[in-house]
PDB file of all heavy atoms in Angstrom:
ATOM      1  N   LYS C   7     -22.139   8.957   8.464  1.00  0.00           N
ATOM      2  CA  LYS C   7     -21.630   7.637   8.472  1.00  0.00           C
ATOM      3  C   LYS C   7     -22.754   6.613   8.272  1.00  0.00           C
ATOM      4  O   LYS C   7     -22.628   5.642   7.487  1.00  0.00           O
ATOM      5  CB  LYS C   7     -20.989   7.297   9.828  1.00  0.00           C
ATOM      6  CG  LYS C   7     -20.355   5.980   9.958  1.00  0.00           C
ATOM      7  CD  LYS C   7     -19.693   5.912  11.336  1.00  0.00           C
ATOM      8  CE  LYS C   7     -19.071   4.482  11.502  1.00  0.00           C
ATOM      9  NZ  LYS C   7     -18.524   4.368  12.812  1.00  0.00           N
ATOM     10  N   PHE C  10     -23.579   6.534   4.546  1.00  0.00           N
ATOM     11  CA  PHE C  10     -22.682   5.736   3.749  1.00  0.00           C
ATOM     12  C   PHE C  10     -22.906   4.294   3.922  1.00  0.00           C
ATOM     13  O   PHE C  10     -22.944   3.451   2.955  1.00  0.00           O
ATOM     14  CB  PHE C  10     -21.215   6.076   4.192  1.00  0.00           C
ATOM     15  CG  PHE C  10     -20.284   4.942   3.821  1.00  0.00           C
ATOM     16  CD1 PHE C  10     -19.984   4.808   2.544  1.00  0.00           C
ATOM     17  CD2 PHE C  10     -19.749   4.076   4.718  1.00  0.00           C
ATOM     18  CE1 PHE C  10     -19.225   3.748   2.007  1.00  0.00           C
ATOM     19  CE2 PHE C  10     -18.965   3.063   4.366  1.00  0.00           C
ATOM     20  CZ  PHE C  10     -18.646   2.951   2.987  1.00  0.00           C
ATOM     21  N   ALA C  11     -23.151   3.748   5.219  1.00  0.00           N
ATOM     22  CA  ALA C  11     -23.367   2.463   5.477  1.00  0.00           C
ATOM     23  C   ALA C  11     -24.554   1.946   4.650  1.00  0.00           C
ATOM     24  O   ALA C  11     -24.443   0.786   4.002  1.00  0.00           O
ATOM     25  CB  ALA C  11     -23.610   2.256   6.969  1.00  0.00           C
ATOM     26  N   VAL C  12     -25.541   2.624   4.552  1.00  0.00           N
ATOM     27  CA  VAL C  12     -26.695   2.184   3.868  1.00  0.00           C
ATOM     28  C   VAL C  12     -26.464   2.003   2.328  1.00  0.00           C
ATOM     29  O   VAL C  12     -26.764   1.083   1.677  1.00  0.00           O
ATOM     30  CB  VAL C  12     -27.855   3.177   4.046  1.00  0.00           C
ATOM     31  CG1 VAL C  12     -29.063   2.773   3.111  1.00  0.00           C
ATOM     32  CG2 VAL C  12     -28.368   3.087   5.480  1.00  0.00           C
ATOM     33  N   ALA C  14     -23.434   1.657   1.038  1.00  0.00           N
ATOM     34  CA  ALA C  14     -22.552   0.556   0.819  1.00  0.00           C
ATOM     35  C   ALA C  14     -23.214  -0.744   0.801  1.00  0.00           C
ATOM     36  O   ALA C  14     -22.892  -1.635  -0.029  1.00  0.00           O
ATOM     37  CB  ALA C  14     -21.511   0.608   1.889  1.00  0.00           C
ATOM     38  N   VAL C  15     -24.175  -0.920   1.646  1.00  0.00           N
ATOM     39  CA  VAL C  15     -24.771  -2.137   1.750  1.00  0.00           C
ATOM     40  C   VAL C  15     -25.703  -2.449   0.547  1.00  0.00           C
ATOM     41  O   VAL C  15     -25.695  -3.515  -0.018  1.00  0.00           O
ATOM     42  CB  VAL C  15     -25.760  -2.309   3.037  1.00  0.00           C
ATOM     43  CG1 VAL C  15     -26.636  -3.520   2.919  1.00  0.00           C
ATOM     44  CG2 VAL C  15     -24.828  -2.370   4.227  1.00  0.00           C
ATOM     45  N   ALA C  16     -26.263  -1.286  -0.040  1.00  0.00           N
ATOM     46  CA  ALA C  16     -27.095  -1.472  -1.242  1.00  0.00           C
ATOM     47  C   ALA C  16     -26.185  -1.894  -2.439  1.00  0.00           C
ATOM     48  O   ALA C  16     -26.635  -2.627  -3.269  1.00  0.00           O
ATOM     49  CB  ALA C  16     -27.648  -0.136  -1.558  1.00  0.00           C
ATOM     50  N   PHE C  18     -23.707  -3.895  -2.187  1.00  0.00           N
ATOM     51  CA  PHE C  18     -23.118  -5.118  -1.765  1.00  0.00           C
ATOM     52  C   PHE C  18     -23.992  -6.307  -2.183  1.00  0.00           C
ATOM     53  O   PHE C  18     -24.434  -7.114  -1.472  1.00  0.00           O
ATOM     54  CB  PHE C  18     -22.941  -5.066  -0.244  1.00  0.00           C
ATOM     55  CG  PHE C  18     -22.168  -6.295   0.276  1.00  0.00           C
ATOM     56  CD1 PHE C  18     -21.292  -7.009  -0.545  1.00  0.00           C
ATOM     57  CD2 PHE C  18     -22.349  -6.666   1.522  1.00  0.00           C
ATOM     58  CE1 PHE C  18     -20.647  -8.114  -0.033  1.00  0.00           C
ATOM     59  CE2 PHE C  18     -21.744  -7.809   2.091  1.00  0.00           C
ATOM     60  CZ  PHE C  18     -20.831  -8.479   1.361  1.00  0.00           C
ATOM     61  N   VAL C  21     -22.934 -10.328  -1.879  1.00  0.00           N
ATOM     62  CA  VAL C  21     -22.721 -11.108  -0.726  1.00  0.00           C
ATOM     63  C   VAL C  21     -24.030 -11.490  -0.004  1.00  0.00           C
ATOM     64  O   VAL C  21     -23.987 -11.910   1.138  1.00  0.00           O
ATOM     65  CB  VAL C  21     -21.802 -10.380   0.245  1.00  0.00           C
ATOM     66  CG1 VAL C  21     -20.446 -10.028  -0.382  1.00  0.00           C
ATOM     67  CG2 VAL C  21     -22.471  -9.002   0.691  1.00  0.00           C
ATOM     68  N   GLY C  23     -27.043 -13.769   1.193  1.00  0.00           N
ATOM     69  CA  GLY C  23     -27.169 -15.128   1.504  1.00  0.00           C
ATOM     70  C   GLY C  23     -26.716 -15.394   2.858  1.00  0.00           C
ATOM     71  O   GLY C  23     -26.244 -14.475   3.608  1.00  0.00           O
ATOM     72  N   PRO C  24     -26.942 -16.517   3.375  1.00  0.00           N
ATOM     73  CA  PRO C  24     -26.667 -16.798   4.843  1.00  0.00           C
ATOM     74  C   PRO C  24     -25.224 -16.790   5.150  1.00  0.00           C
ATOM     75  O   PRO C  24     -24.292 -17.176   4.330  1.00  0.00           O
ATOM     76  CB  PRO C  24     -27.241 -18.299   4.983  1.00  0.00           C
ATOM     77  CG  PRO C  24     -27.149 -18.818   3.637  1.00  0.00           C
ATOM     78  CD  PRO C  24     -27.441 -17.753   2.695  1.00  0.00           C
ATOM     79  N   ALA C  25     -24.865 -16.417   6.361  1.00  0.00           N
ATOM     80  CA  ALA C  25     -23.462 -16.423   6.772  1.00  0.00           C
ATOM     81  C   ALA C  25     -23.192 -17.699   7.619  1.00  0.00           C
ATOM     82  O   ALA C  25     -24.106 -18.166   8.307  1.00  0.00           O
ATOM     83  CB  ALA C  25     -23.133 -15.165   7.605  1.00  0.00           C
ATOM     84  N   HIS C  26     -22.006 -18.189   7.585  1.00  0.00           N
ATOM     85  CA  HIS C  26     -21.717 -19.362   8.275  1.00  0.00           C
ATOM     86  C   HIS C  26     -20.593 -19.232   9.280  1.00  0.00           C
ATOM     87  O   HIS C  26     -19.959 -20.089   9.830  1.00  0.00           O
ATOM     88  CB  HIS C  26     -21.265 -20.576   7.310  1.00  0.00           C
ATOM     89  CG  HIS C  26     -22.490 -20.904   6.372  1.00  0.00           C
ATOM     90  ND1 HIS C  26     -23.524 -21.571   6.680  1.00  0.00           N
ATOM     91  CD2 HIS C  26     -22.491 -20.673   4.993  1.00  0.00           C
ATOM     92  CE1 HIS C  26     -24.291 -21.687   5.659  1.00  0.00           C
ATOM     93  NE2 HIS C  26     -23.720 -21.126   4.605  1.00  0.00           N
ATOM     94  N   ALA C  27     -20.308 -17.907   9.540  1.00  0.00           N
ATOM     95  CA  ALA C  27     -19.270 -17.612  10.583  1.00  0.00           C
ATOM     96  C   ALA C  27     -19.782 -16.447  11.438  1.00  0.00           C
ATOM     97  O   ALA C  27     -20.486 -15.646  10.931  1.00  0.00           O
ATOM     98  CB  ALA C  27     -17.932 -17.251   9.881  1.00  0.00           C
ATOM     99  N   ASP C  28     -19.352 -16.443  12.632  1.00  0.00           N
ATOM    100  CA  ASP C  28     -19.767 -15.385  13.565  1.00  0.00           C
ATOM    101  C   ASP C  28     -18.732 -14.266  13.424  1.00  0.00           C
ATOM    102  O   ASP C  28     -19.124 -13.090  13.714  1.00  0.00           O
ATOM    103  CB  ASP C  28     -19.823 -15.935  14.903  1.00  0.00           C
ATOM    104  CG  ASP C  28     -21.058 -16.919  15.160  1.00  0.00           C
ATOM    105  OD1 ASP C  28     -22.003 -16.729  14.439  1.00  0.00           O
ATOM    106  OD2 ASP C  28     -20.854 -17.815  15.972  1.00  0.00           O
ATOM    107  N   ASN C  29     -17.508 -14.583  13.102  1.00  0.00           N
ATOM    108  CA  ASN C  29     -16.576 -13.576  12.999  1.00  0.00           C
ATOM    109  C   ASN C  29     -15.405 -13.980  12.051  1.00  0.00           C
ATOM    110  O   ASN C  29     -15.302 -15.143  11.668  1.00  0.00           O
ATOM    111  CB  ASN C  29     -15.979 -13.228  14.427  1.00  0.00           C
ATOM    112  CG  ASN C  29     -15.301 -14.460  15.003  1.00  0.00           C
ATOM    113  OD1 ASN C  29     -14.313 -14.957  14.595  1.00  0.00           O
ATOM    114  ND2 ASN C  29     -15.894 -15.008  16.084  1.00  0.00           N
ATOM    115  N   MET C  30     -14.531 -13.008  11.641  1.00  0.00           N
ATOM    116  CA  MET C  30     -13.413 -13.266  10.896  1.00  0.00           C
ATOM    117  C   MET C  30     -12.425 -12.221  11.187  1.00  0.00           C
ATOM    118  O   MET C  30     -12.704 -11.220  11.856  1.00  0.00           O
ATOM    119  CB  MET C  30     -13.774 -13.149   9.363  1.00  0.00           C
ATOM    120  CG  MET C  30     -14.500 -11.925   8.975  1.00  0.00           C
ATOM    121  SD  MET C  30     -14.468 -11.607   7.190  1.00  0.00           S
ATOM    122  CE  MET C  30     -12.697 -11.033   6.993  1.00  0.00           C
ATOM    123  N   VAL C  31     -11.179 -12.439  10.752  1.00  0.00           N
ATOM    124  CA  VAL C  31     -10.128 -11.492  11.067  1.00  0.00           C
ATOM    125  C   VAL C  31      -9.610 -10.862   9.876  1.00  0.00           C
ATOM    126  O   VAL C  31      -9.214 -11.564   8.872  1.00  0.00           O
ATOM    127  CB  VAL C  31      -8.970 -12.283  11.796  1.00  0.00           C
ATOM    128  CG1 VAL C  31      -7.782 -11.354  12.228  1.00  0.00           C
ATOM    129  CG2 VAL C  31      -9.535 -12.969  13.086  1.00  0.00           C
ATOM    130  N   PHE C  32      -9.473  -9.532   9.965  1.00  0.00           N
ATOM    131  CA  PHE C  32      -8.857  -8.812   8.817  1.00  0.00           C
ATOM    132  C   PHE C  32      -7.531  -8.172   9.331  1.00  0.00           C
ATOM    133  O   PHE C  32      -7.622  -7.386  10.409  1.00  0.00           O
ATOM    134  CB  PHE C  32      -9.833  -7.626   8.400  1.00  0.00           C
ATOM    135  CG  PHE C  32      -9.250  -6.680   7.476  1.00  0.00           C
ATOM    136  CD1 PHE C  32      -8.693  -7.179   6.161  1.00  0.00           C
ATOM    137  CD2 PHE C  32      -9.139  -5.356   7.755  1.00  0.00           C
ATOM    138  CE1 PHE C  32      -8.145  -6.101   5.328  1.00  0.00           C
ATOM    139  CE2 PHE C  32      -8.633  -4.493   6.846  1.00  0.00           C
ATOM    140  CZ  PHE C  32      -8.158  -4.869   5.599  1.00  0.00           C
ATOM    141  N   GLN C  43     -10.430   1.577   6.527  1.00  0.00           N
ATOM    142  CA  GLN C  43     -10.862   0.308   6.049  1.00  0.00           C
ATOM    143  C   GLN C  43     -11.974  -0.286   6.975  1.00  0.00           C
ATOM    144  O   GLN C  43     -12.987  -0.830   6.466  1.00  0.00           O
ATOM    145  CB  GLN C  43      -9.695  -0.626   5.948  1.00  0.00           C
ATOM    146  CG  GLN C  43      -8.697  -0.354   4.744  1.00  0.00           C
ATOM    147  CD  GLN C  43      -7.535  -1.151   4.886  1.00  0.00           C
ATOM    148  OE1 GLN C  43      -6.985  -1.466   5.870  1.00  0.00           O
ATOM    149  NE2 GLN C  43      -7.107  -1.573   3.671  1.00  0.00           N
ATOM    150  N   LYS C  44     -11.793  -0.095   8.221  1.00  0.00           N
ATOM    151  CA  LYS C  44     -12.839  -0.579   9.195  1.00  0.00           C
ATOM    152  C   LYS C  44     -14.097   0.248   8.946  1.00  0.00           C
ATOM    153  O   LYS C  44     -15.221  -0.420   8.835  1.00  0.00           O
ATOM    154  CB  LYS C  44     -12.369  -0.309  10.597  1.00  0.00           C
ATOM    155  CG  LYS C  44     -13.366  -0.759  11.578  1.00  0.00           C
ATOM    156  CD  LYS C  44     -12.791  -0.527  13.076  1.00  0.00           C
ATOM    157  CE  LYS C  44     -13.801  -0.927  14.069  1.00  0.00           C
ATOM    158  NZ  LYS C  44     -13.334  -0.719  15.541  1.00  0.00           N
ATOM    159  N   ALA C  45     -14.144   1.484   8.746  1.00  0.00           N
ATOM    160  CA  ALA C  45     -15.297   2.318   8.565  1.00  0.00           C
ATOM    161  C   ALA C  45     -15.943   2.045   7.263  1.00  0.00           C
ATOM    162  O   ALA C  45     -17.213   1.938   7.083  1.00  0.00           O
ATOM    163  CB  ALA C  45     -15.047   3.739   8.709  1.00  0.00           C
ATOM    164  N   ALA C  46     -15.125   1.945   6.100  1.00  0.00           N
ATOM    165  CA  ALA C  46     -15.603   1.797   4.782  1.00  0.00           C
ATOM    166  C   ALA C  46     -16.086   0.432   4.461  1.00  0.00           C
ATOM    167  O   ALA C  46     -16.975   0.158   3.655  1.00  0.00           O
ATOM    168  CB  ALA C  46     -14.660   2.321   3.761  1.00  0.00           C
ATOM    169  N   TRP C  47     -15.387  -0.613   5.049  1.00  0.00           N
ATOM    170  CA  TRP C  47     -15.613  -1.979   4.631  1.00  0.00           C
ATOM    171  C   TRP C  47     -16.288  -2.727   5.790  1.00  0.00           C
ATOM    172  O   TRP C  47     -17.312  -3.357   5.503  1.00  0.00           O
ATOM    173  CB  TRP C  47     -14.300  -2.666   4.219  1.00  0.00           C
ATOM    174  CG  TRP C  47     -13.478  -1.973   3.054  1.00  0.00           C
ATOM    175  CD1 TRP C  47     -14.006  -1.131   2.242  1.00  0.00           C
ATOM    176  CD2 TRP C  47     -12.171  -2.309   2.717  1.00  0.00           C
ATOM    177  NE1 TRP C  47     -13.012  -0.679   1.339  1.00  0.00           N
ATOM    178  CE2 TRP C  47     -11.948  -1.431   1.572  1.00  0.00           C
ATOM    179  CE3 TRP C  47     -11.240  -3.125   3.181  1.00  0.00           C
ATOM    180  CZ2 TRP C  47     -10.681  -1.465   0.924  1.00  0.00           C
ATOM    181  CZ3 TRP C  47      -9.953  -3.136   2.485  1.00  0.00           C
ATOM    182  CH2 TRP C  47      -9.687  -2.320   1.425  1.00  0.00           C
ATOM    183  N   ALA C  48     -15.501  -2.788   6.864  1.00  0.00           N
ATOM    184  CA  ALA C  48     -15.863  -3.832   7.970  1.00  0.00           C
ATOM    185  C   ALA C  48     -17.243  -3.563   8.589  1.00  0.00           C
ATOM    186  O   ALA C  48     -17.998  -4.367   8.795  1.00  0.00           O
ATOM    187  CB  ALA C  48     -14.816  -3.852   8.993  1.00  0.00           C
ATOM    188  N   SER C  49     -17.516  -2.174   8.871  1.00  0.00           N
ATOM    189  CA  SER C  49     -18.757  -1.878   9.608  1.00  0.00           C
ATOM    190  C   SER C  49     -20.003  -2.196   8.700  1.00  0.00           C
ATOM    191  O   SER C  49     -20.979  -2.836   9.191  1.00  0.00           O
ATOM    192  CB  SER C  49     -18.723  -0.407   9.997  1.00  0.00           C
ATOM    193  OG  SER C  49     -17.704  -0.285  10.948  1.00  0.00           O
ATOM    194  N   PRO C  50     -19.926  -1.754   7.433  1.00  0.00           N
ATOM    195  CA  PRO C  50     -21.138  -2.203   6.627  1.00  0.00           C
ATOM    196  C   PRO C  50     -21.262  -3.693   6.449  1.00  0.00           C
ATOM    197  O   PRO C  50     -22.370  -4.219   6.277  1.00  0.00           O
ATOM    198  CB  PRO C  50     -20.957  -1.338   5.354  1.00  0.00           C
ATOM    199  CG  PRO C  50     -19.646  -0.873   5.323  1.00  0.00           C
ATOM    200  CD  PRO C  50     -19.160  -0.842   6.772  1.00  0.00           C
ATOM    201  N   PHE C  51     -20.087  -4.355   6.296  1.00  0.00           N
ATOM    202  CA  PHE C  51     -20.137  -5.758   6.079  1.00  0.00           C
ATOM    203  C   PHE C  51     -20.755  -6.481   7.284  1.00  0.00           C
ATOM    204  O   PHE C  51     -21.606  -7.386   7.151  1.00  0.00           O
ATOM    205  CB  PHE C  51     -18.659  -6.297   5.946  1.00  0.00           C
ATOM    206  CG  PHE C  51     -18.551  -7.804   5.805  1.00  0.00           C
ATOM    207  CD1 PHE C  51     -18.830  -8.430   4.655  1.00  0.00           C
ATOM    208  CD2 PHE C  51     -18.161  -8.531   6.913  1.00  0.00           C
ATOM    209  CE1 PHE C  51     -18.705  -9.800   4.471  1.00  0.00           C
ATOM    210  CE2 PHE C  51     -18.057  -9.847   6.746  1.00  0.00           C
ATOM    211  CZ  PHE C  51     -18.176 -10.536   5.621  1.00  0.00           C
ATOM    212  N   THR C  52     -20.428  -6.024   8.493  1.00  0.00           N
ATOM    213  CA  THR C  52     -21.026  -6.593   9.677  1.00  0.00           C
ATOM    214  C   THR C  52     -22.491  -6.364   9.751  1.00  0.00           C
ATOM    215  O   THR C  52     -23.248  -7.126  10.069  1.00  0.00           O
ATOM    216  CB  THR C  52     -20.285  -6.107  10.939  1.00  0.00           C
ATOM    217  OG1 THR C  52     -19.001  -6.443  10.913  1.00  0.00           O
ATOM    218  CG2 THR C  52     -20.943  -6.619  12.188  1.00  0.00           C
ATOM    219  N   GLU C  53     -22.846  -5.071   9.395  1.00  0.00           N
ATOM    220  CA  GLU C  53     -24.295  -4.715   9.343  1.00  0.00           C
ATOM    221  C   GLU C  53     -25.077  -5.630   8.369  1.00  0.00           C
ATOM    222  O   GLU C  53     -26.235  -6.112   8.746  1.00  0.00           O
ATOM    223  CB  GLU C  53     -24.478  -3.254   8.885  1.00  0.00           C
ATOM    224  CG  GLU C  53     -25.895  -2.791   9.000  1.00  0.00           C
ATOM    225  CD  GLU C  53     -25.923  -1.254   8.696  1.00  0.00           C
ATOM    226  OE1 GLU C  53     -24.926  -0.601   8.888  1.00  0.00           O
ATOM    227  OE2 GLU C  53     -26.989  -0.830   8.206  1.00  0.00           O
ATOM    228  N   LYS C  54     -24.479  -5.995   7.312  1.00  0.00           N
ATOM    229  CA  LYS C  54     -25.259  -6.774   6.237  1.00  0.00           C
ATOM    230  C   LYS C  54     -25.217  -8.353   6.580  1.00  0.00           C
ATOM    231  O   LYS C  54     -26.232  -8.930   6.488  1.00  0.00           O
ATOM    232  CB  LYS C  54     -24.472  -6.647   4.955  1.00  0.00           C
ATOM    233  CG  LYS C  54     -24.981  -7.553   3.828  1.00  0.00           C
ATOM    234  CD  LYS C  54     -26.458  -7.272   3.378  1.00  0.00           C
ATOM    235  CE  LYS C  54     -26.852  -8.224   2.334  1.00  0.00           C
ATOM    236  NZ  LYS C  54     -28.352  -7.984   1.977  1.00  0.00           N
ATOM    237  N   THR C  55     -24.090  -8.736   7.153  1.00  0.00           N
ATOM    238  CA  THR C  55     -23.970 -10.234   7.266  1.00  0.00           C
ATOM    239  C   THR C  55     -24.126 -10.694   8.714  1.00  0.00           C
ATOM    240  O   THR C  55     -24.287 -11.854   9.000  1.00  0.00           O
ATOM    241  CB  THR C  55     -22.649 -10.682   6.732  1.00  0.00           C
ATOM    242  OG1 THR C  55     -21.556 -10.135   7.565  1.00  0.00           O
ATOM    243  CG2 THR C  55     -22.396 -10.299   5.284  1.00  0.00           C
ATOM    244  N   GLY C  56     -23.905  -9.784   9.698  1.00  0.00           N
ATOM    245  CA  GLY C  56     -23.837 -10.287  11.081  1.00  0.00           C
ATOM    246  C   GLY C  56     -22.509 -10.814  11.428  1.00  0.00           C
ATOM    247  O   GLY C  56     -22.332 -11.268  12.565  1.00  0.00           O
ATOM    248  N   ILE C  57     -21.547 -10.842  10.549  1.00  0.00           N
ATOM    249  CA  ILE C  57     -20.206 -11.343  10.773  1.00  0.00           C
ATOM    250  C   ILE C  57     -19.333 -10.235  11.416  1.00  0.00           C
ATOM    251  O   ILE C  57     -19.189  -9.181  10.748  1.00  0.00           O
ATOM    252  CB  ILE C  57     -19.570 -11.949   9.538  1.00  0.00           C
ATOM    253  CG1 ILE C  57     -20.452 -13.054   8.990  1.00  0.00           C
ATOM    254  CG2 ILE C  57     -18.204 -12.386   9.864  1.00  0.00           C
ATOM    255  CD1 ILE C  57     -20.002 -13.537   7.588  1.00  0.00           C
ATOM    256  N   THR C  58     -18.847 -10.353  12.564  1.00  0.00           N
ATOM    257  CA  THR C  58     -17.959  -9.522  13.242  1.00  0.00           C
ATOM    258  C   THR C  58     -16.562  -9.535  12.575  1.00  0.00           C
ATOM    259  O   THR C  58     -16.049 -10.653  12.310  1.00  0.00           O
ATOM    260  CB  THR C  58     -17.755  -9.716  14.703  1.00  0.00           C
ATOM    261  OG1 THR C  58     -19.123  -9.518  15.246  1.00  0.00           O
ATOM    262  CG2 THR C  58     -16.820  -8.695  15.377  1.00  0.00           C
ATOM    263  N   VAL C  59     -15.996  -8.401  12.170  1.00  0.00           N
ATOM    264  CA  VAL C  59     -14.618  -8.336  11.586  1.00  0.00           C
ATOM    265  C   VAL C  59     -13.686  -7.875  12.686  1.00  0.00           C
ATOM    266  O   VAL C  59     -13.686  -6.676  13.023  1.00  0.00           O
ATOM    267  CB  VAL C  59     -14.623  -7.388  10.384  1.00  0.00           C
ATOM    268  CG1 VAL C  59     -13.201  -7.365   9.760  1.00  0.00           C
ATOM    269  CG2 VAL C  59     -15.618  -7.785   9.298  1.00  0.00           C
ATOM    270  N   VAL C  60     -12.866  -8.785  13.211  1.00  0.00           N
ATOM    271  CA  VAL C  60     -11.924  -8.492  14.147  1.00  0.00           C
ATOM    272  C   VAL C  60     -10.680  -7.878  13.453  1.00  0.00           C
ATOM    273  O   VAL C  60     -10.166  -8.407  12.573  1.00  0.00           O
ATOM    274  CB  VAL C  60     -11.416  -9.712  15.011  1.00  0.00           C
ATOM    275  CG1 VAL C  60     -10.357  -9.364  15.928  1.00  0.00           C
ATOM    276  CG2 VAL C  60     -12.617 -10.385  15.650  1.00  0.00           C
ATOM    277  N   GLN C  61     -10.187  -6.691  13.896  1.00  0.00           N
ATOM    278  CA  GLN C  61      -9.091  -6.031  13.369  1.00  0.00           C
ATOM    279  C   GLN C  61      -7.782  -6.530  13.917  1.00  0.00           C
ATOM    280  O   GLN C  61      -7.651  -6.657  15.154  1.00  0.00           O
ATOM    281  CB  GLN C  61      -9.216  -4.514  13.502  1.00  0.00           C
ATOM    282  CG  GLN C  61     -10.458  -4.005  12.918  1.00  0.00           C
ATOM    283  CD  GLN C  61     -10.453  -3.925  11.410  1.00  0.00           C
ATOM    284  OE1 GLN C  61      -9.469  -3.653  10.747  1.00  0.00           O
ATOM    285  NE2 GLN C  61     -11.601  -4.242  10.846  1.00  0.00           N
ATOM    286  N   ALA C 266     -16.503 -16.533   4.371  1.00  0.00           N
ATOM    287  CA  ALA C 266     -16.708 -15.126   4.852  1.00  0.00           C
ATOM    288  C   ALA C 266     -15.672 -14.183   4.241  1.00  0.00           C
ATOM    289  O   ALA C 266     -15.986 -13.079   4.020  1.00  0.00           O
ATOM    290  CB  ALA C 266     -16.688 -15.097   6.493  1.00  0.00           C
ATOM    291  N   LYS C 269     -16.718 -13.091   0.800  1.00  0.00           N
ATOM    292  CA  LYS C 269     -17.763 -12.082   0.945  1.00  0.00           C
ATOM    293  C   LYS C 269     -17.187 -10.773   1.372  1.00  0.00           C
ATOM    294  O   LYS C 269     -17.616  -9.721   0.862  1.00  0.00           O
ATOM    295  CB  LYS C 269     -18.850 -12.636   1.838  1.00  0.00           C
ATOM    296  CG  LYS C 269     -19.507 -13.828   1.404  1.00  0.00           C
ATOM    297  CD  LYS C 269     -20.591 -14.314   2.383  1.00  0.00           C
ATOM    298  CE  LYS C 269     -21.377 -15.492   1.865  1.00  0.00           C
ATOM    299  NZ  LYS C 269     -22.358 -16.088   2.902  1.00  0.00           N
ATOM    300  N   PHE C 270     -16.258 -10.810   2.272  1.00  0.00           N
ATOM    301  CA  PHE C 270     -15.617  -9.533   2.738  1.00  0.00           C
ATOM    302  C   PHE C 270     -14.988  -8.909   1.558  1.00  0.00           C
ATOM    303  O   PHE C 270     -15.097  -7.615   1.393  1.00  0.00           O
ATOM    304  CB  PHE C 270     -14.716  -9.778   3.920  1.00  0.00           C
ATOM    305  CG  PHE C 270     -14.067  -8.626   4.430  1.00  0.00           C
ATOM    306  CD1 PHE C 270     -14.677  -7.700   5.269  1.00  0.00           C
ATOM    307  CD2 PHE C 270     -12.701  -8.275   3.985  1.00  0.00           C
ATOM    308  CE1 PHE C 270     -14.028  -6.498   5.687  1.00  0.00           C
ATOM    309  CE2 PHE C 270     -12.127  -7.056   4.436  1.00  0.00           C
ATOM    310  CZ  PHE C 270     -12.789  -6.206   5.281  1.00  0.00           C
ATOM    311  N   ILE C 271     -14.180  -9.646   0.767  1.00  0.00           N
ATOM    312  CA  ILE C 271     -13.415  -9.004  -0.369  1.00  0.00           C
ATOM    313  C   ILE C 271     -14.439  -8.420  -1.344  1.00  0.00           C
ATOM    314  O   ILE C 271     -14.126  -7.477  -1.926  1.00  0.00           O
ATOM    315  CB  ILE C 271     -12.482 -10.078  -0.924  1.00  0.00           C
ATOM    316  CG1 ILE C 271     -11.352 -10.338   0.116  1.00  0.00           C
ATOM    317  CG2 ILE C 271     -11.913  -9.509  -2.255  1.00  0.00           C
ATOM    318  CD1 ILE C 271     -10.389 -11.463  -0.362  1.00  0.00           C
ATOM    319  N   ALA C 272     -15.566  -9.253  -1.595  1.00  0.00           N
ATOM    320  CA  ALA C 272     -16.460  -8.736  -2.532  1.00  0.00           C
ATOM    321  C   ALA C 272     -17.038  -7.396  -2.044  1.00  0.00           C
ATOM    322  O   ALA C 272     -17.240  -6.459  -2.870  1.00  0.00           O
ATOM    323  CB  ALA C 272     -17.675  -9.746  -2.676  1.00  0.00           C
ATOM    324  N   MET C 273     -17.347  -7.261  -0.838  1.00  0.00           N
ATOM    325  CA  MET C 273     -17.783  -5.942  -0.298  1.00  0.00           C
ATOM    326  C   MET C 273     -16.730  -4.958  -0.403  1.00  0.00           C
ATOM    327  O   MET C 273     -16.988  -3.820  -0.889  1.00  0.00           O
ATOM    328  CB  MET C 273     -18.095  -6.213   1.174  1.00  0.00           C
ATOM    329  CG  MET C 273     -18.211  -5.044   2.105  1.00  0.00           C
ATOM    330  SD  MET C 273     -19.817  -4.133   1.643  1.00  0.00           S
ATOM    331  CE  MET C 273     -19.507  -2.636   2.667  1.00  0.00           C
ATOM    332  N   ALA C 274     -15.519  -5.182   0.032  1.00  0.00           N
ATOM    333  CA  ALA C 274     -14.379  -4.214   0.034  1.00  0.00           C
ATOM    334  C   ALA C 274     -14.116  -3.629  -1.331  1.00  0.00           C
ATOM    335  O   ALA C 274     -13.680  -2.466  -1.489  1.00  0.00           O
ATOM    336  CB  ALA C 274     -13.253  -4.848   0.654  1.00  0.00           C
ATOM    337  N   PRO C 279     -17.943   1.272  -1.419  1.00  0.00           N
ATOM    338  CA  PRO C 279     -16.931   1.112  -0.312  1.00  0.00           C
ATOM    339  C   PRO C 279     -15.490   1.661  -0.902  1.00  0.00           C
ATOM    340  O   PRO C 279     -14.687   2.154  -0.081  1.00  0.00           O
ATOM    341  CB  PRO C 279     -16.909  -0.292   0.034  1.00  0.00           C
ATOM    342  CG  PRO C 279     -18.279  -0.720  -0.308  1.00  0.00           C
ATOM    343  CD  PRO C 279     -18.647  -0.050  -1.504  1.00  0.00           C
TER     344      PRO C 279
END
Side-chain angles (χ1 to χ4, degrees):
K7 184 176 179 181
F10 160 68
V12 171
V15 169
F18 186 26
V21 299
H26 299 289
D28 294 327
N29 59 68
M30 54 162 284
V31 178
F32 172 61
Q43 290 172 320
K44 180 180 179 182
W47 302 347
S49 295
F51 177 78
T52 298
E53 184 175 333
K54 172 65 179 178
T55 65
I57 300 172
T58 299
V59 181
V60 178
Q61 302 290 319
K269 293 177 179 178
F270 178 81
I271 292 175
M273 166 71 187

